[in-house]
């Protein structure tokens, strides 16, 4: 069987900077001039930006990673959403007015959201030549790229994919795979965090953040043909779960919002990983003749996730937010410790992003042997030795 390695880049706003640190380590572990090692790249939400950048630069993997490093290590909120007083307060006023009008059954305001992400539209148009995705596919260094968004009208989790000929669309419960030519609108739709950024219209439907209703984040890579998967998460993979207390303070609006975002971005991935590992264990107990009669196959999975609490890192960098955003977040209680979770999704400032890049790099380098084994680097090195 041809080996196809899939890369899963999950959502999480500014947390996606962590993924770039992991990719930096992988680029250093692999041979210097290696092409893209991932036949299939699947991105969701902010992970979609990283995914498309890798796909555009698939001929030169290290170059693509360096490009991502330059973006994230010099990130500014002004490149993602408006933080000037006029932009913030006008948009917030429209958001509040939209809520009031909707409560009265009047829907006169379109594109209502807490923040104005028009700078991101300009930034993506200037930095990502999406036409190069097909060039990577035609060159044979990329098998498929997918971006997932959530349809507000249908309630479906829709995976838009671009790949080699012969990949079949799929339809499952509340999940669709649709072939298309991926461009900027798919990234904007996938990264449209609910309430915070505006929905994006694609064809006949408005779409929001791809992590919503994405009950099986790994399935896209498997549908596209991956038989080995690397997942770079942005949750608390190595962090102990805090103890439950009997009585706590009533949660602030920011704490509730952060909890909701965690449910959207993190929980479905953990459930999907458990499901895949359970299927792998079941397959391992099957006799070979029975295994061949089923459509099930073993999938090797490597998961790399933060070893430290991203919320605590966000606490240390929250003061770097523009005063307008601090004021807005303080209004909903996000500038208190309990609201740091929400801040971590919106803190697109270079100090915070650099800290996450460094954490991702260190976490990956600590697992260098596992990563080399995942890519079969020892075996390939032996095969390339002169006879």
């Amino acid at each position: 069987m041809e080996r196809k390695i899939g890369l899963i880049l999950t959502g999480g706003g500014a947390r996606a900077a962590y993924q770039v640190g992991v990719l930096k380590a992988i680029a250093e572990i692999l041979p210097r001039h290696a092409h893209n090692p991932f036949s299939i790249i699947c991105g969701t939400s902010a992970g979609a930006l990283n995914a498309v950048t890798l796909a555009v630069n698939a001929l030169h993997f290290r170059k693509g990673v360096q490009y991502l490093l330059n973006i994230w290590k010099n990130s500014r909120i002004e490149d993602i959403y408006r933080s000037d007083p006029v932009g913030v307060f006008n948009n917030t006023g429209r958001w509040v007015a939209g809520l009031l009008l909707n409560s009265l059954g009047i829907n006169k305001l379109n594109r209502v959201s807490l923040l104005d992400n028009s700078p991101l539209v300009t930034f993506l148009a200037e930095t990502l030549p999406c036409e190069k995705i097909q060039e990577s596919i035609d060159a044979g260094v990329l098998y498929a790229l997918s971006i997932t968004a959530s349809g507000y009208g249908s309630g479906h989790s829709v995976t838009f994919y671009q790949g080699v000929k012969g990949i079949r669309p799929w339809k499952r419960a509340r999940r669709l795979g649709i072939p298309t030519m991926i461009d900027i609108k798919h990234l904007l739709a996938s990264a449209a965090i609910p309430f915070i950024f505006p929905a994006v219209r694609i064809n006949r439907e408005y779409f929001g953040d791809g992590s919503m209703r994405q009950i099986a984040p790994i399935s896209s890579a498997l549908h596209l043909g991956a038989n080995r998967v690397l997942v770079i998460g942005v949750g608390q993979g190595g962090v102990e779960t805090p103890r439950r207390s009997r009585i706590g303070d009533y949660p602030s609006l920011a704490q509730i919002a952060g909890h909701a975002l965690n449910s959207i971005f993190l929980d479905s991935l953990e459930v999907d990983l458990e499901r895949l590992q359970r299927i792998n264990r079941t397959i391992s107990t099957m006799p070979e003749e029975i295994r061949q009669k089923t459509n099930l196959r073993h999938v090797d999975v490597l998961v790399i996730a933060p070893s430290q609490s991203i919320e605590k890192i966000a606490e240390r960098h929250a003061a770097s937010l523009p005063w307008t955003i601090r004021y807005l977040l303080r209004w909903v209680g996000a500038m208190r410790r309990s609201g740091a979770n929400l801040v971590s999704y919106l803190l697109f400032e270079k100090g915070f992003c650099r800290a996450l890049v460094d954490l991702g790099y260190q976490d990956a380098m600590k697992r260098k042997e596992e990563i080399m084994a995942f890519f079969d680097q020892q075996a390939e090195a032996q095969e390339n030795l002169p006879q």
Side-chain angles (χ1 to χ4, degrees), residues 183-262:
D183 61 23
I184 300 304
K185 66 176 178 289
H186 298 98
L187 275 71
L188 292 170
S190 184
I193 300 175
F195 300 109
I196 296 175
F197 295 135
V200 177
R201 183 172 179 174
I202 300 177
N203 300 326
R204 296 168 297 177
E205 187 173 11
Y206 280 96
F207 287 85
D209 198 290
S211 296
M212 296 188 293
R213 312 200 75 164
Q214 191 183 33
I215 58 176
I218 302 172
S219 67
S220 297
L222 303 184
H223 280 295
L224 293 170
N227 44 37
R228 188 174 294 190
V229 178
L230 172 64
V231 180
I232 306 180
V234 293
Q236 301 183 358
V239 183
E240 292 184 4
T241 304
R243 293 182 179 180
R244 296 179 61 187
S245 55
R246 292 184 178 179
I247 300 176
D249 295 333
Y250 192 84
S252 65
L253 182 60
Q255 191 174 359
I256 294 171
H259 184 78
L261 289 178
N262 273 358

Side-chain angles (χ1 to χ4, degrees), residues 48 52-53 55-56 124-137 145 147 162 181-187:
V52 172
T53 303
V56 165
L124 292 177
E126 292 175 349
T127 57
L128 278 181
C130 291
E131 64 274 8
K132 290 191 175 182
I133 296 170
Q134 190 60 45
E135 294 179 18
S136 298
I137 294 169
L145 166 73
I147 303 297
Q162 184 174 345
M181 298 294 288
I182 290 173
D183 61 23
I184 300 304
K185 66 176 178 289
H186 298 98
L187 275 71

Side-chain angles (χ1 to χ4, degrees), residues 1-280:
M1 180 186 294
E2 181 185 357
R3 185 179 71 170
K4 291 188 180 73
I5 299 179
L7 174 65
I8 308 291
L9 297 173
T10 59
R15 290 168 172 244
Y18 175 85
Q19 298 168 352
V20 182
V22 176
L23 292 168
K24 177 187 176 184
I26 292 172
E28 292 183 9
I29 291 170
L30 295 177
R32 184 172 184 83
H33 298 291
H35 293 318
N36 165 44
F38 303 104
S39 304
I40 296 159
I41 304 175
C42 304
T44 303
S45 193
L49 166 64
N50 296 337
V52 172
T53 303
L54 292 179
V56 165
N57 294 279
L59 278 167
H60 307 283
F61 179 64
R62 186 170 288 209
K63 176 184 174 182
V65 173
Q66 186 59 51
Y67 194 68
L68 281 172
L69 284 168
N70 290 338
I71 291 174
W72 285 99
K73 296 188 82 169
N74 296 289
S75 175
R76 300 179 308 161
I77 279 177
E78 290 80 4
D79 293 329
I80 309 300
Y81 54 86
R82 290 187 64 176
S83 60
D84 60 286
V86 173
V88 170
F89 296 119
N90 278 357
N91 210 68
T92 303
R94 284 171 55 86
W95 186 70
V96 173
L99 292 177
L100 292 175
L101 289 173
N102 279 326
S103 68
L104 297 174
I106 304 171
N107 187 16
K108 294 291 186 182
L109 295 178
N110 294 323
R111 289 180 57 83
V112 174
S113 60
L114 186 62
L115 298 172
D116 177 0
N117 68 340
S118 56
L120 179 61
V121 179
T122 303
F123 179 77
L124 292 177
E126 292 175 349
T127 57
L128 278 181
C130 291
E131 64 274 8
K132 290 191 175 182
I133 296 170
Q134 190 60 45
E135 294 179 18
S136 298
I137 294 169
D138 294 340
V141 292
L142 180 67
Y143 188 81
L145 166 73
S146 76
I147 303 297
T148 299
S150 180
Y152 281 115
S154 64
H156 287 132
S157 176
V158 180
T159 296
F160 299 97
Y161 69 86
Q162 184 174 345
V164 302
K165 293 181 179 179
I167 299 177
R168 294 182 178 181
W170 63 88
K171 184 176 182 179
R172 299 291 185 271
R174 295 292 179 181
R175 291 184 283 134
L176 297 174
I178 299 176
T180 191
M181 298 294 288
I182 290 173
D183 61 23
I184 300 304
K185 66 176 178 289
H186 298 98
L187 275 71
L188 292 170
S190 184
I193 300 175
F195 300 109
I196 296 175
F197 295 135
V200 177
R201 183 172 179 174
I202 300 177
N203 300 326
R204 296 168 297 177
E205 187 173 11
Y206 280 96
F207 287 85
D209 198 290
S211 296
M212 296 188 293
R213 312 200 75 164
Q214 191 183 33
I215 58 176
I218 302 172
S219 67
S220 297
L222 303 184
H223 280 295
L224 293 170
N227 44 37
R228 188 174 294 190
V229 178
L230 172 64
V231 180
I232 306 180
V234 293
Q236 301 183 358
V239 183
E240 292 184 4
T241 304
R243 293 182 179 180
R244 296 179 61 187
S245 55
R246 292 184 178 179
I247 300 176
D249 295 333
Y250 192 84
S252 65
L253 182 60
Q255 191 174 359
I256 294 171
H259 184 78
L261 289 178
N262 273 358
S263 299
I264 292 172
F265 288 112
L266 309 180
D267 294 352
S268 59
L269 176 61
E270 294 177 2
V271 172
D272 203 25
L273 283 169
E274 287 183 0
R275 184 188 302 118
L276 181 58
Q277 291 163 354
R278 190 163 58 247
I279 292 173
N280 280 342

